[in-house]
Structure formats: structure tokens, C-alpha cells
Amino acid sequence: MDTLTLLPQPRTLLPAAGFYILQPDQRIVLEGDAPALLGAGRRLQAALAAYADLVWDLAAVAAGPPERVGVVLQLTPDAAAPAQGYRLTINPTGIRIVAATAMGVFYGVCTLVQILQAQGRRLPALHIEDWPDFAVRGLMLDISRDRVPQQETLYALIDMLAGWKINQIQLYTEHTFAYRQHPDVWAAASPITGDEILALDAFCRERHIEMVPNQNSFGHMERWLIHDRYAALAETQAPFQTPWGQEPGPFSLCPGDPGSLALIWTLYDELLPHFTSTQFNVGCDETFDVGQGRSRAACAERGTTRVYLDYLQQVYREVTERGYTMQFWGDIIVQTPELISQLPRDSVALEWGYEADHPFDAHGAQFAASGIPFYVCPGTSSWCSLAGRTDNALSNLLSATENGLRHGAAGYLNTDWGDKGHWQMLPISYLGYAAGAAYSWALDANRTGDIAAAVSRYAFDDPTGSMGRVAYDLGNVYQMPGIAVPNGSTLFWVLQQTLDTPLRPGPVPDFAAALAAIDAAMQPLSTARMQHPDAALIVDEFETTARLMRHACRRGQLRLDLAGAQSSALRQDLAADLRDILIAYERLWRARDRPGGLADSAGRLRKAHADYGVR
């Protein structure tokens, strides 16, 4: 048998002699608890129809000729497989998946579906023993930086992630849930409604995914505080300092204002009943303005982190009184390690960081030593990049896995943000999603796997490997200008900044090298043979992304030579080019996302266009 690429690669896969040839008119037997296994059985039925052109019935008993039983899905409470684990055996007479839980059987089916996708009707004999490293393997998608996906986009994404054995989903929310008591905040955002959350939650449960509610509750509240009704609750309306420079206010709620918590409780009471999960991510990250406004005196007296912790503990009490386990971002508390031990022992700290060298080791050790449950939370590196940052993403995702396992992290939450307009299109993030799913399932089996090949097959449904190669290589173009930009790429910031923004000291960016790398990365696109339902859309998204990157390179060259002889002609050309890109950008946005937020996101590109001084 040739090497079988799966996503994630199973912990152990032992080839055996022979093949099992799928035949028409066979059955899938659900043994042990048929209702509990119905979702897994239906998933297998759909895969047989899609990849083998076969229609097999489901049955709760194996009555009839034994040769008509093609697959047995067996739920055995005393099965030897660990939690969420399964055993999958393919031999010349049939297929059997055995697990102690319905979740384990579902994951065995997910693996079998990928084998079907890769092999068709002729399946190689093999035996798989498989279970996860992390009990929780999640993805958090930012839906608050302009881009709110359509419901069908979310269904398709969740179904794909379920096939990769992801079992927790969060939708990062600031102002994009349709709170009925607060319509002014989300009026232009095309928010997700309660009805839609109920449907998404049920869709997730059918796929053994926990949909965890998420509502930032302290910082990142500017979309609320800009409105007159809430402005008095702000820590400050003035500019404030952050580790990366000055930012405009407002930003955080004032922790000493009783109205801040009163507002948050109204949000919890309306949001939480739409979910079946009893976990809740309250956010509370990056509260850098606290102590620079109304709480200045309290922070001077008690310490800024102490003021933060007092607020967080009040949030904790309200969350637990409602019957939920509080998750919160750990970036503020980790700045004062001696306070970590004062965190509630039944809360979950989310240790996040997105660079390859983020100190997951040191921070994980601090949380572990204090007895505080924590998740490691790396990221896809897609935001502020246009096409991703492949090498950084893989290193960041891998480091989180290694150090999370070293220090006993309770879970792994991959994150995909949308800072500064959420310019990256959804398929740009597939490679990061896939790597996070693979590493968090079984690190040793997936550490050195061909992630480009796996993404090509199981994200893009391209057996040639070309589409995965394009995604991988285009995501590495960020390195070509030769300038390291934390949490982003040079080409992204060339588009975000005005032409007269002073260049950073250091090497001159090599935009010519980046242009050549873009062309080289896109070359395999013509050889891709995607069978994905939205294959044409994916091609359009990557071509438009590459065009935007090329535009950024040429804009960078103009910025380096603003007084050059060709400046006027280049401005005219770039203005026309960006007008066309904007048309494509808006069209592609509407294909997957809701209209709210488009004006703000595209408006950042319109500012770049206006900078050329050409109508």
C-alpha cells in the first residue's frame, strides 16, 4: 500500500494483506445503540454515495446474509480504546469500527470517510488504533472584525472541521449577536441571531462538537462604547498607550463602574440560553487602557492587575451562578504571575500567542504550577497577512501543542482573527485549521506530515496536491520582502498605511522578490483538479488574493520612489488596478459573508485608492 495521507494521521496504522472491494446493496449495521450511532451512519452513507457511487442501507441488526454486511459500527462500553478513541479494521471480508463512545465511533467513521475519498471502492486492508492527545480540540473564528459568515458558510466549515475531529467551536463576539435589548450596537453588522445560534448548536451536537458561547466582557468593547447610550461606561474616550503604540479610545469598560457589570449581565442573560454548552468564554483580553482613565486612582492604589482580577472575579461569580464554567484570555493575569494562584480553580485560562517564539512553555508552567486549568491557544497567522504566514503558523501551532502537552493543558483552541478589516478570505485559513487539527489530535503521528498534501485532499478535494501547494507557498510570500513584521506581513501593511507613512528603519523591502514569489506560488493553480462544490469560488478567491498581493508590491515600489520619473503613470495604473480589485473583493465577500461590515472592510481599501490622488 502506498503511504496513505489522512487528516489527522492516526496514531497507529498497520497495513494488512489484501483489499476490501465495496459492492452495491450492502448494509451498515449500527450495533450496540443504533440511535446514538445514527449520525455516524448517515455520514458514512453520504460518503459512500459521494466517493463510491453506492447506496447502502442502515440497520440496527445484522440479520440476513452475512456477506451483505459491509460495515459494522460497534458501540461497546467496555472497549479497550481510550476516551474518544476507536479501532478501525478493514479486511477482505468487511469493515468494523469499535469504540466505547458514540464520539469514538464517529471519529472512526471520519477516518474511514477519508480513506474512501482517497481510494474509492478498493480499500486497502489495515488496522488503526487511534485516540487524541488533547481531550478538547477547538477552533475560534472571529466574527466581530467586519466579516460575519453566512449561515451556510458556517455549516460547511463546521462539517469540514468535524471530519478532522475538531470538537469545540467558538464564534468570537463583541457586537455581532443580535441582542434584542441593544439593537443600535449591531444595526449595521448583519449579526447572528438567536434562531441561527440554536440551529448551529444543534448542527454541532450532531457532529460531536461543543459550541461554546463567546462574548467579550471588558476590553474590545469599542463597538458598544462609541454609542451615546454606553459611552459613560468607558474607561476612557481619549487615546491610550498599548505595547505597540497609541490607540484611540474608547476601548474597555471601566471596571469600577457598576454600570459596566450591569450591562454585561444583560448580555449573558440573553445570549447563554441559546447554547447547550455549560462553558462560556468571557474574553477580558488586552485591557491596556485600564489605569489610563477613570480607574487611574484605583490602579495606582491596588495595582492594575489587581483591579483587573477583582473585575474578573465578579464576572466569574455571575457566570458560575448561571451554571457555567468561565473561560477567559490569560494575557493580562500572566503579567503578574503571583496573582495567578488567586484565580478560581474551576475557571479555564486561555493562554494565547501567535508568533513562532511565543512563550507557551513559560506561561504554561506558570498556570500548571498554580493548579489553574488552561488551554493553549495558537493561531492560523492568516489575519493582517492577505495570504497567511505558513512557516510562522506551523511553528506557532506546533509549539503550542508541544508545550501544552508538556504542562498538561486541558485543551487546544486554534484561533483565526480578522484584525484591520478581515481581509483574508476563508480558504486562506484552511491550512492553519488543518495543521492545528492534526497536531492537537496526535502530535507524534502528525509532526512531520505533508500538510500541503493533506489540505489539498481534505480541504480542497484536489487529489493532484496542487491546490494545497498553492495555499502553502502563497502563505510563505510574507517572508520575501525581507522585513519581519510581528503579527502580520509587510504587504498587508503597505496597503493599510498611507504612501507618505515613514518607512521603518532597517533593510529596504525587496518587493521585486515578493512579486516573483507570488507568480511562482500561483503557478500550480492551473493543474488543480478540485472536486469541491465551491471549486470555482476558491480559485477566484486565491486569484484575487494574489492580485491584491501584487498590487501591494507595486504600491510598495511606488512608496520607495515617490519622486521618481514614473510616479505619475504608476499612480494612474495602480488606481485603476485597485478599482478592479475592489469590485472582485466585494463580489467575493457576498459569496460567503453577510453584507454588514463590508463597507468598513472595503473602506480600508478605498482609503488606499484615494491615496493615489486619481479619480
Side-chain angles (χ1 to χ4, degrees):
M1 177 178 66
D2 293 336
T3 301
L4 186 59
T5 297
L6 300 171
L7 180 61
Q9 202 69 24
R11 187 173 299 272
T12 64
L13 188 159
L14 300 176
F19 294 86
Y20 178 57
I21 310 300
L22 301 176
Q23 301 291 341
D25 301 322
Q26 294 186 296
R27 297 192 308 283
I28 303 165
V29 175
L30 311 179
E31 187 175 295
D33 185 347
L37 300 178
L38 183 59
R42 286 178 172 166
R43 192 175 190 89
L44 181 54
Q45 275 186 314
L48 286 163
Y51 302 121
D53 196 25
L54 293 171
V55 178
W56 286 13
D57 291 334
L58 298 177
V61 294
E67 65 272 13
R68 291 297 186 187
V69 176
V71 177
V72 176
L73 306 183
Q74 182 181 355
L75 186 59
T76 305
D78 61 349
Q84 302 186 36
Y86 64 92
R87 298 197 304 270
L88 167 60
T89 303
I90 302 174
N91 62 45
T93 61
I95 303 169
R96 181 174 291 268
I97 295 172
V98 182
T101 63
M103 179 182 281
V105 172
F106 180 83
Y107 291 151
V109 165
C110 290
T111 298
L112 178 57
V113 166
Q114 291 187 358
I115 296 171
L116 277 168
Q117 187 175 350
Q119 302 293 317
R121 291 193 181 194
R122 191 169 185 262
L123 304 185
L126 51 77
H127 181 76
I128 288 173
E129 301 265 355
D130 202 13
W131 65 91
D133 285 337
F134 288 93
V136 174
R137 304 165 306 281
L139 176 74
M140 191 221 71
L141 178 66
D142 186 350
I143 63 164
S144 292
R145 273 53 176 266
D146 299 333
R147 196 183 287 269
V148 182
Q150 297 171 12
Q151 192 81 337
E152 290 305 315
T153 301
L154 289 170
Y155 284 143
L157 175 60
I158 289 166
D159 195 57
M160 180 175 74
L161 294 170
W164 302 347
K165 306 180 177 66
I166 291 296
N167 67 355
Q168 188 177 114
I169 293 290
Q170 300 188 23
L171 301 178
Y172 171 76
T173 305
E174 294 172 0
H175 67 296
T176 49
F177 177 77
Y179 290 104
R180 294 189 178 276
Q181 299 179 67
H182 308 281
D184 292 349
V185 173
W186 50 261
S190 299
I192 290 184
T193 66
D195 181 272
E196 290 171 324
I197 290 293
L198 290 169
L200 284 168
D201 189 84
F203 188 84
C204 285
R205 291 199 311 274
E206 291 168 1
R207 289 151 181 81
H208 297 276
I209 292 175
E210 179 181 13
M211 189 175 187
V212 173
N214 182 309
Q215 170 61 59
N216 219 329
S217 308
F218 196 174
H220 290 283
M221 292 293 285
E222 64 270 26
R223 297 278 194 156
W224 293 78
L225 300 173
I226 58 174
H227 295 276
D228 291 343
R229 179 180 172 187
Y230 313 100
L233 300 177
E235 168 69 14
T236 179
Q237 293 285 343
F240 60 96
Q241 288 299 127
T242 75
W244 53 84
Q246 190 177 83
E247 291 288 339
F251 188 72
S252 296
L253 293 166
C254 176
D257 191 327
S260 296
L261 291 170
L263 170 64
I264 293 302
W265 306 159
T266 70
L267 306 189
Y268 294 176
D269 288 338
E270 185 172 349
L271 176 70
L272 295 178
H274 294 91
F275 297 80
T276 53
S277 172
T278 57
Q279 298 192 79
F280 177 31
N281 186 346
V282 301
C284 299
D285 61 316
E286 296 190 320
T287 53
F288 299 122
D289 55 333
V290 170
Q292 298 185 49
R294 297 168 61 203
S295 63
R296 188 186 309 273
C299 291
E301 178 185 353
R302 289 151 47 208
T304 302
T305 310
R306 180 75 252 179
V307 169
Y308 171 91
L309 181 57
D310 290 346
Y311 180 91
L312 184 67
Q313 287 173 329
Q314 293 181 80
V315 172
Y316 163 80
R317 286 192 288 273
E318 291 289 333
V319 169
T320 53
E321 284 178 7
R322 288 163 171 77
Y324 290 82
T325 297
M326 182 182 77
Q327 298 180 3
F328 68 98
W329 300 113
D331 58 307
I332 300 300
I333 197 69
V334 81
Q335 296 173 18
T336 311
E338 61 270 21
L339 293 181
I340 293 177
S341 62
Q342 298 184 34
L343 291 167
R345 291 294 193 275
D346 56 348
S347 60
V348 178
L350 303 176
E351 163 52 27
W352 64 268
Y354 309 127
E355 293 303 307
D357 61 354
H358 180 76
F360 285 115
D361 188 8
H363 292 175
Q366 290 172 346
F367 284 118
S370 299
I372 305 299
F374 72 100
Y375 291 0
V376 285
C377 305
T380 64
S381 299
S382 298
W383 61 96
C384 298
S385 73
L386 304 179
R389 295 187 293 151
T390 299
D391 283 354
N392 183 80
L394 296 181
S395 295
N396 175 247
L397 293 159
L398 185 61
S399 173
T401 312
E402 293 172 337
N403 290 296
L405 293 173
R406 178 177 295 120
H407 297 294
Y412 185 104
L413 182 65
N414 197 359
T415 61
D416 194 27
W417 297 97
D419 299 38
K420 306 296 181 182
H422 210 141
W423 280 355
Q424 81 274 17
M425 300 181 198
L426 180 62
I428 296 298
S429 296
Y430 288 172
L431 188 140
Y433 296 165
Y439 296 158
S440 62
W441 176 263
L443 176 58
D444 289 344
N446 289 277
R447 182 192 298 272
T448 60
D450 187 343
I451 195 66
V455 168
S456 197
R457 171 69 77 173
Y458 302 115
F460 298 119
D461 204 0
D462 174 25
T464 71
S466 297
M467 195 64 235
R469 191 75 255 161
V470 169
Y472 191 102
D473 291 344
L474 197 66
N476 264 334
V477 170
Y478 80 99
Q479 300 177 80
M480 298 313 297
I483 307 294
V485 178
N487 207 31
S489 73
T490 299
L491 298 188
F492 176 87
W493 285 108
V494 163
L495 291 167
Q496 290 270 331
Q497 296 169 345
T498 60
L499 288 172
D500 59 1
T501 300
L503 294 170
R504 298 173 64 180
V508 176
D510 191 344
F511 294 113
L515 278 168
I518 295 165
D519 292 342
M522 290 296 290
Q523 193 168 2
L525 186 62
S526 62
T527 63
R529 296 293 179 266
M530 284 186 284
Q531 305 303 309
H532 206 274
D534 59 354
L537 176 58
I538 291 170
V539 169
D540 199 351
E541 288 168 323
F542 271 87
E543 287 180 336
T544 300
T545 296
R547 186 173 179 187
L548 190 55
M549 294 169 75
R550 292 187 186 101
H551 183 95
C553 291
R554 297 176 65 213
R555 180 181 173 91
Q557 290 171 330
L558 173 63
R559 186 168 158 184
L560 292 174
D561 189 28
L562 286 174
Q566 303 301 317
S567 174
S568 177
L570 184 53
R571 284 174 182 268
Q572 295 277 349
D573 190 30
L574 287 172
D577 185 49
L578 192 51
R579 274 197 301 269
D580 289 346
I581 291 172
L582 268 161
I583 292 170
Y585 183 83
E586 293 178 349
R587 169 173 50 78
L588 292 171
W589 182 291
R590 295 186 181 96
R592 293 194 194 272
D593 303 297
R594 304 172 195 223
L598 174 55
D600 284 349
S601 179
R604 292 174 175 270
L605 288 171
R606 295 190 191 284
K607 287 182 180 178
H609 180 270
D611 207 19
Y612 296 128
V614 178
R615 292 194 176 187

